[in-house]
Amino acid sequence: MFIKPLTAAAVCLAACIGISGALAAPAGADIAQTAEPIRGVNLGGLFVLEPWITPSLFEEWAHTANTPVVDEWNYCAILGKHECQSRLMRHWGSWVQEQDIATLSDLRINTLRIPLGYWALAPNGSDPYVQGQIPFLEQILNWASKYRMRVILDLHGAPGSQNGFDNSGLRGDIRWTKRPSDVPRTLDALASLARIANQNPSVVAIQAVNEPANWGVSKETITQFYIQAYNTIKSIAPQVTIVFHDAFLPASEWESLVPRNLTDSILDTHIYHMFVDDVIRFNADEHIRKACTDGQTIRNFNQRTRTICGEFSLANTDCARWLNGFQKGARWDGTLPGSQPVANGASCHNQENMDAWSDNKRAFMQRFAMAQIQAYEQGTGWIFWNFKT
C-alpha cells in the first residue's frame, strides 16, 4: 500500500506540487541533466531502520522496560544475524514497490533520496548489522530510470554514529571519527556508492554523510572529511555531484564548512518545525513566516553554492509515535522526559489522525506545504521526509 495510501502530510504536499507545476524530465533528455529545481522525497525507513517509520518491526519490544532495541544495531544484536537477516529481507522486498515509484512520478516528483548505512557497503564483520541490501537498491534504481527520476544516494549512517540518533543506525554516543578505522571505512562506503553510480545513470549525486553533529564532531574534522569524501567519490565517478549536510551549523558558518574549490557540490540543510521548543510553540502564521525566512537564507547561499532543503515535513507537533526515539514521548504534551506541554491541556490525541482534522487544520497544512515548497525553491529545491510511514 502506498503511503497509507498517502500520509496526511504527503496528501497536502502532493496537492501543492500540482499547483506549483513541477518540472519533469523531457523525453530523450539525459536524466543527469534534468532541469532544476529538485522536487523529491526520501525513501526513509528502508535500508536504515527508524522505529517511528516502521513501528511494526519494533512492536514486540514496545512494552519492555529499558529495552536496548531502539535502533538497527540493537535490533540485529538481539535477534541475531540469522533472524535479523530473515526479517529485514522481507522488509527490503516490501517497503518500496514499483507502484510507489510510479505514483511518485505521477505526482511530479523528480528526485529520490535513498538513505543507506555504511554496513550495507563496507561492513565490519564484528558489527551485528546484516547485509543483502544492494540487490534491492539496484531494483529501485532500475525503477527510477524507468520513470525518469533522479537519485541521490545518501550515506545515512557512519561507523560509530555521526550524530547519536537512531537514524544513524546506533542511538547514543557520537563516536564517529574517534577510532582510526572510522573515516577510512566511511570513505570505503562512499567508494562503493560511487561504483554503484557508475553502473546506474539515474544516480546523479552522493551525499557524503547525513547530519554529522557539530556538537560531537568538530567543524574542522567535518570539513576535512568533506574534502576527502569529495576526492574519493570524484576519483571513481567524476560525473556525480557531491552533497554536504550543514552539520546543524548556522548559515553564517556554511561558507567555511564547504570550501569553494569543491565546485560540483550541493549544500543540504534540514528544516523541521517540531524538534525545537520555541518553534513548536509557534502559531500558524509564525510557522509560515519561519518558512519564508528559511527560504531567504537558502536563496542567499544558493548564489554561492547550490543549496537544497534535503529534509522537511509538514509536522508542527512531535506527536507521531516514537518520533523522538523508541518508547519516548512528545514535547507537545509534555510526555518527553524533561519537557513541559506547549500549552495547558495540550494533547496528542488525534493530532496524527487526518480524518479528525478540522477544516482550519486542513487549510493550514496546505498553506504550510505551499509556503515551504515556495521557500525552498528559492534555492536548488527540496526533498520531503518521508515518502510513507
Side-chain angles (χ1 to χ4, degrees):
M1 183 176 290
F2 181 75
I3 321 183
K4 293 187 183 174
L6 284 171
T7 59
V11 169
C12 298
L13 185 76
C16 289
I17 295 170
I19 291 169
S20 63
L23 298 176
D30 180 348
I31 194 167
Q33 302 301 319
T34 300
E36 294 171 340
I38 291 170
R39 291 169 173 160
V41 297
N42 286 275
L43 302 188
L46 175 58
F47 299 124
V48 181
L49 299 184
E50 297 187 41
W52 80 271
I53 296 178
T54 55
S56 61
L57 293 175
F58 291 82
E59 193 65 50
E60 66 188 89
W61 298 283
H63 304 292
T64 302
N66 301 314
T67 178
V69 185
V70 298
D71 50 37
E72 187 163 341
W73 173 288
N74 286 288
Y75 182 85
C76 289
I78 294 299
L79 290 176
K81 288 198 173 186
H82 178 77
E83 180 62 20
C84 184
Q85 179 111 41
S86 176
R87 295 189 187 192
L88 290 186
M89 289 284 282
R90 291 194 296 271
H91 170 63
W92 298 332
S94 60
W95 185 241
V96 177
Q97 297 292 308
E98 181 176 358
Q99 184 57 52
D100 297 334
I101 307 304
T103 303
L104 289 167
S105 178
D106 289 343
L107 293 172
R108 300 185 182 183
I109 293 296
N110 63 25
T111 304
L112 304 174
R113 180 172 179 258
I114 305 179
L116 295 115
Y118 75 91
W119 55 91
L121 304 153
N124 181 345
S126 64
D127 292 348
Y129 296 120
V130 297
Q131 288 71 54
Q133 298 91 336
I134 302 307
F136 297 98
L137 170 64
E138 290 176 338
Q139 177 66 266
I140 295 170
L141 297 181
N142 289 336
W143 292 334
S145 291
K146 178 178 177 179
Y147 293 98
R148 309 195 58 72
M149 301 177 81
R150 298 172 289 188
V151 174
I152 299 171
L153 297 178
D154 156 42
L155 190 65
H156 218 70
S161 179
Q162 73 278 17
N163 52 34
F165 303 154
D166 58 12
N167 60 46
S168 72
L170 180 62
R171 194 175 96 184
D173 295 334
I174 301 170
R175 298 192 179 96
W176 181 58
T177 73
K178 306 302 189 291
R179 300 168 297 182
S181 63
D182 286 347
V183 170
R185 188 174 299 279
T186 308
L187 295 174
D188 286 346
L190 292 173
S192 294
L193 290 179
R195 287 189 286 271
I196 291 171
N198 280 341
Q199 299 300 315
N200 294 274
S202 61
V203 178
V204 299
I206 294 174
Q207 182 143 10
V209 68
N210 178 67
E211 297 185 343
N214 70 77
W215 56 88
V217 183
S218 72
K219 176 184 175 182
E220 293 73 20
T221 299
I222 295 169
T223 296
Q224 184 58 42
F225 168 73
Y226 281 174
I227 295 169
Q228 293 175 281
Y230 185 94
N231 291 334
T232 295
I233 297 167
K234 284 293 189 179
S235 70
I236 299 169
Q239 78 284 3
V240 167
T241 296
I242 318 301
V243 182
F244 302 113
H245 184 259
D246 67 7
F248 302 106
L249 290 164
S252 60
E253 298 194 46
W254 292 355
E255 176 87 23
S256 54
L257 179 69
V258 181
R260 281 185 178 271
N261 63 329
L262 306 186
T263 53
D264 187 11
S265 61
I266 289 176
L267 182 81
D268 172 23
T269 188
H270 297 171
I271 301 173
Y272 291 107
H273 284 229
M274 67 288 200
F275 292 132
V276 179
D277 288 344
D278 291 344
V279 178
I280 200 173
R281 297 174 187 275
F282 281 178
N283 62 33
D285 289 339
E286 288 171 326
H287 282 293
I288 303 299
R289 283 197 293 272
K290 173 174 167 50
C292 296
T293 300
D294 291 335
Q296 292 168 2
T297 300
I298 288 172
R299 180 190 62 200
N300 292 339
F301 199 74
N302 194 69
Q303 296 172 13
R304 187 269 206 187
T305 297
R306 286 177 294 169
T307 305
I308 64 171
C309 179
E311 293 186 19
F312 74 103
S313 82
L314 303 190
N316 65 332
T317 80
D318 61 342
C319 286
R321 186 188 189 205
W322 301 337
L323 180 61
N324 293 301
F326 188 57
Q327 294 185 335
K328 291 187 177 182
R331 296 169 184 79
W332 186 261
D333 62 1
T335 56
L336 181 69
S339 70
Q340 297 292 326
V342 298
N344 290 334
S347 171
C348 282
H349 179 65
N350 277 337
Q351 288 286 350
E352 298 300 302
N353 180 5
M354 187 177 179
D355 292 338
W357 286 357
S358 68
D359 290 343
N360 284 342
K361 172 82 168 184
R362 292 170 187 271
F364 164 72
M365 280 295 180
Q366 288 206 337
R367 286 179 62 213
F368 194 28
M370 180 58 78
Q372 291 191 83
I373 287 171
Q374 291 181 339
Y376 309 149
E377 287 194 8
Q378 294 181 67
T380 296
W382 48 264
I383 309 174
F384 183 73
W385 189 279
N386 189 39
F387 89 112
K388 71 175 178 180
T389 59

